[in-house]
Amino acid sequence: MGVEAVSGNGAEAKEVTAAKVEAKETAVAVSKNASFREESNFLADLKESERKALAELRDKVEAAIVEGKLFDDGKAEEKKKAEAPVEKEVKKEAAAEEKKEEEESKEAEAEEKKEESKEVEAEEKKEEEESKEEKKEEESKENEEKKEEAVQKPTADEEKPATVVIDKDISLWGVPLLSSKGDDSTDVVLLKFLRARDFKAGAAFEMLRKTLRWRRDWKGFAAGEELPEELEGACYLDGADREGHPVCYNALGVFADEAVYKKALGTEEGKARFLQWRVRAMERHVADLDLKPGGVSSLLQVTDLRNSPGPAKKDLRVAVKQVLDLFQDNYPELVTRNILINVPFWYYAFSTLFYPFMTQRTKSKFVIARPSKVTETLLKYIPIEAIPVKYGGLKRDNDTEFSAEDSEVTEVIVKANSTETIEIEATEADTTLTWDLTVLGWEVNYKEEFVPTDEGSYTIIVRKGKKMASSEEAVRNSFRAGEPGKVVLTVENASNRKKKVLFRHKAKSAYAKKC
């Protein structure tokens, strides 16, 4: 059983098998589309400056953990510096008070001598005044001693040395941060923070500390109330790209329903629940990664803006920005590419609101595809058999006919203003042929026929000819051949641009099943 691609301009037909396609311009195996390969996490592949930065960050993290200061945000030191001038001012005031008391004492003595020359009848009054002055001096001295004790004597908390809790098992995403533990994954995690800060060890260290403090203080990690069922399709993993990165799909079109929108984002509690749910989803996705040198340590993220509410929906705009900010600050380098598909015109104005807050590195990871370029764009990163049918690919949920392992996808180029036919052969009777076919951008005429080998038999129309719009999903069909023959798939391209056809097929023989 074979596949044949035939040119409508009379070019010689060339038979191809499912394993190998030999036609020069008509049918070729799809395997070498461009793809993004993330930076290496092997030490040998790093530049000398990058290795030095990694070593410096290792030392900073190690010292902070051993000293129990990894979560220290520097506020304690700032408080101590702020209290120093206050303490100095208190001492200065105490000295001035003491000098004043001495002057008052001298004046009292002079007054006593003056009063001695007075009449005896005033002596009692003098003694009474002296008694008052002495009492005043005693009270003043007592107040002075109390002030000195307040300045010099440490508080009960200061007398006791602070207890430093050292946790050498501190980890992030299940990876220990103490390099001396000898886990290869530690360097992979540290490199993510370094790359997010252009290999500046100090800045990367502060970013790591802020992330750890956020994870310690944020209450959203605890399991909470889930979002409405209507939002289950808002974020999910489905398949992998050409480099093995899990693909995370986000569909914002679910918020087009006003009832769903209000339920999810109409209240402060709803907004908080949405943010918590999105972060917990990210945590689950990160748990699927292999944070080791050579492992797949990041996601490919696809965000579908089809039917999504416009920028007038402030609550959604704020929620999306919150998610972007949290991910940029606390999940560095865990998304290898951000592909935005079905991007409407208003997006370009909307994006100016949050793009200024992104780092240049984050911006460089964004890929934007208009509706007419969705499949073509995704195909650069994801195999066609792993792209969902709603995005022009061949992947169907719970597919029992094809799997990525047992089916090879073949590519056919249809030149401008020409026709190509693909022939799938049934070499024996009672054979069921099944095929998938998609055209990038469609806008072609397409039909399916079964042509028996016996010239005396009639050709059977399997699918009538039809003009396929650009929004068409991949075609799947099957035909049970009661006699030897071939199914002929015809693609007519009347446009001035060449078209790319991708297809796969399989045959099931009733005879083989019996055996």
Side-chain angles (χ1 to χ4, degrees):
M1 189 276 297
V3 176
E4 191 172 12
V6 182
S7 173
N9 57 13
E12 181 181 357
K14 298 185 179 182
E15 183 173 344
V16 295
T17 64
K20 185 176 181 180
V21 182
E22 297 179 346
K24 184 175 181 180
E25 286 187 331
T26 54
V28 293
V30 179
S31 61
K32 295 184 179 180
N33 287 52
S35 179
F36 173 79
R37 188 180 297 274
E38 64 182 311
E39 293 149 302
S40 173
N41 289 316
F42 287 105
L43 288 178
D45 295 334
L46 299 178
K47 299 176 183 177
E48 182 62 28
S49 59
E50 294 172 345
R51 284 197 290 269
K52 288 181 179 178
L54 177 58
E56 184 180 347
L57 181 56
R58 280 197 206 117
D59 293 343
K60 285 179 177 291
V61 174
E62 186 100 8
I65 292 176
V66 171
E67 295 172 10
K69 295 182 178 180
L70 187 58
F71 291 91
D72 183 14
D73 57 2
K75 290 183 179 179
E77 189 66 25
E78 290 177 5
K79 184 179 179 182
K80 186 176 180 182
K81 290 180 180 179
E83 290 176 349
V86 176
E87 183 178 341
K88 186 177 180 180
E89 187 65 27
V90 170
K91 289 182 178 180
K92 185 177 180 180
E93 289 178 0
E97 186 70 23
E98 183 179 356
K99 185 176 181 181
K100 183 179 178 182
E101 292 296 333
E102 288 179 358
E103 290 177 355
E104 288 180 354
S105 178
K106 289 179 181 180
E107 290 177 1
E109 289 177 2
E111 188 66 25
E112 283 180 15
K113 291 179 180 179
K114 186 178 181 180
E115 291 296 328
E116 285 177 356
S117 63
K118 288 185 178 182
E119 299 293 334
V120 176
E121 63 268 16
E123 186 67 29
E124 290 181 1
K125 185 178 180 180
K126 176 184 175 183
E127 290 177 355
E128 185 178 345
E129 289 176 355
E130 288 178 354
S131 177
K132 289 181 180 180
E133 289 293 332
E134 289 175 358
K135 188 175 181 181
K136 183 179 179 182
E137 286 182 22
E138 289 176 358
E139 290 177 352
S140 178
K141 288 181 179 180
E142 287 178 1
N143 291 336
E144 183 182 337
E145 290 174 356
K146 288 180 180 179
K147 287 182 180 179
E148 290 180 355
E149 288 178 358
V151 173
Q152 297 176 4
K153 186 177 179 181
T155 62
D157 291 338
E158 291 174 336
E159 287 177 348
K160 296 179 181 179
T163 303
V164 178
V165 179
I166 299 176
D167 183 4
K168 293 188 177 182
D169 294 323
I170 292 176
S171 63
L172 179 58
W173 306 313
V175 175
L177 294 179
L178 202 64
S179 297
S180 57
K181 284 183 174 288
D183 193 321
D184 290 342
S185 298
T186 302
D187 282 351
V188 175
V189 171
L190 296 183
L191 279 169
K192 290 187 177 298
F193 285 87
L194 281 169
R195 287 186 171 119
R197 291 295 179 264
D198 298 321
F199 280 90
K200 296 175 182 176
F205 179 60
E206 288 306 315
M207 184 184 189
L208 174 61
R209 294 170 78 171
K210 288 179 180 178
T211 294
L212 293 173
R213 285 197 295 270
W214 171 74
R215 296 180 69 86
R216 178 194 63 188
D217 299 335
W218 202 57
K219 307 300 182 184
F221 289 111
E225 183 182 352
E226 291 297 332
L227 289 183
E229 292 183 4
E230 296 88 343
L231 293 183
E232 288 183 355
C235 176
Y236 58 95
L237 288 180
D238 189 6
D241 70 0
R242 296 183 182 279
E243 305 299 333
H245 303 111
V247 181
C248 175
Y249 291 92
N250 300 275
L252 299 186
V254 296
F255 293 103
D257 187 298
E258 190 65 25
V260 174
Y261 182 87
K262 288 183 177 179
K263 190 173 183 179
L265 300 172
T267 63
E268 291 303 319
E269 293 78 7
K271 295 173 189 175
R273 185 169 61 246
F274 173 79
L275 186 61
Q276 292 170 4
W277 167 80
R278 188 61 188 87
V279 170
R280 289 201 299 271
M282 185 63 169
E283 286 289 309
R284 290 195 298 271
H285 299 165
V286 173
D288 288 339
L289 299 176
D290 181 14
L291 298 173
K292 292 185 177 298
V296 176
S297 61
S298 58
L299 305 163
L300 179 71
Q301 189 152 269
V302 178
T303 300
D304 184 3
L305 297 178
R306 179 188 294 168
N307 298 326
S308 61
K313 295 288 188 179
K314 180 181 176 181
D315 293 326
L316 179 60
R317 186 174 75 242
V318 172
V320 169
K321 186 179 183 305
Q322 284 181 320
V323 172
L324 287 173
D325 288 345
L326 272 179
F327 286 1
Q328 182 175 250
D329 294 341
N330 301 293
Y331 296 89
E333 300 301 307
L334 285 168
V335 175
T336 186
R337 272 287 186 270
N338 259 308
I339 305 176
L340 305 181
I341 60 175
N342 291 310
V343 176
F345 179 76
W346 58 256
Y347 167 81
Y348 296 96
F350 172 51
S351 63
T352 60
L353 298 176
F354 57 84
Y355 262 45
F357 301 100
M358 295 182 182
T359 64
Q360 188 58 44
R361 186 176 177 85
T362 299
K363 291 178 186 177
S364 69
K365 294 184 178 183
F366 275 80
V367 177
I368 298 175
R370 300 279 289 170
S372 60
K373 297 290 185 180
V374 169
T375 310
E376 183 179 343
T377 301
L378 293 180
L379 191 58
K380 293 178 181 179
Y381 306 95
I382 309 172
I384 193 68
E385 60 270 27
I387 299 175
V389 288
K390 64 180 178 180
Y391 298 132
L394 304 180
K395 181 177 175 61
R396 300 172 186 271
D397 294 336
N398 306 313
D399 195 348
T400 58
E401 291 292 343
F402 292 97
S403 66
E405 292 76 19
D406 65 6
S407 60
E408 182 180 357
V409 176
T410 302
E411 177 182 302
V412 173
I413 299 299
V414 186
K415 294 180 179 179
N417 299 304
S418 66
T419 300
E420 294 288 344
T421 59
I422 300 166
E423 299 178 355
I424 306 174
E425 186 179 357
T427 57
E428 57 187 39
D430 205 8
T431 297
T432 299
L433 303 176
T434 304
W435 59 92
D436 278 341
L437 181 143
T438 190
V439 180
L440 301 189
W442 284 101
E443 297 296 343
V444 296
N445 293 312
Y446 174 73
K447 68 178 180 179
E448 302 168 347
E449 299 174 307
F450 176 73
V451 181
T453 302
D454 186 352
E455 295 182 357
S457 298
Y458 293 101
T459 296
I460 300 173
I461 297 176
V462 180
R463 184 187 185 109
K464 291 183 179 181
K466 175 188 174 184
K467 176 67 178 289
M468 304 290 278
S470 59
S471 59
E472 297 284 347
E473 293 185 352
V475 170
R476 169 167 292 183
N477 209 350
S478 63
F479 180 79
R480 182 178 174 274
E483 59 182 305
K486 58 188 176 184
V487 168
V488 180
L489 313 177
T490 303
V491 179
E492 179 187 358
N493 178 19
S495 71
N496 294 323
R497 294 183 178 181
K498 67 179 181 181
K499 296 288 183 177
K500 183 181 291 186
V501 180
L502 299 163
F503 74 95
R504 61 184 175 182
H505 76 282
K506 67 188 303 184
K508 290 182 181 179
S509 171
Y511 176 76
K513 186 182 292 187
K514 292 177 182 178
C515 293

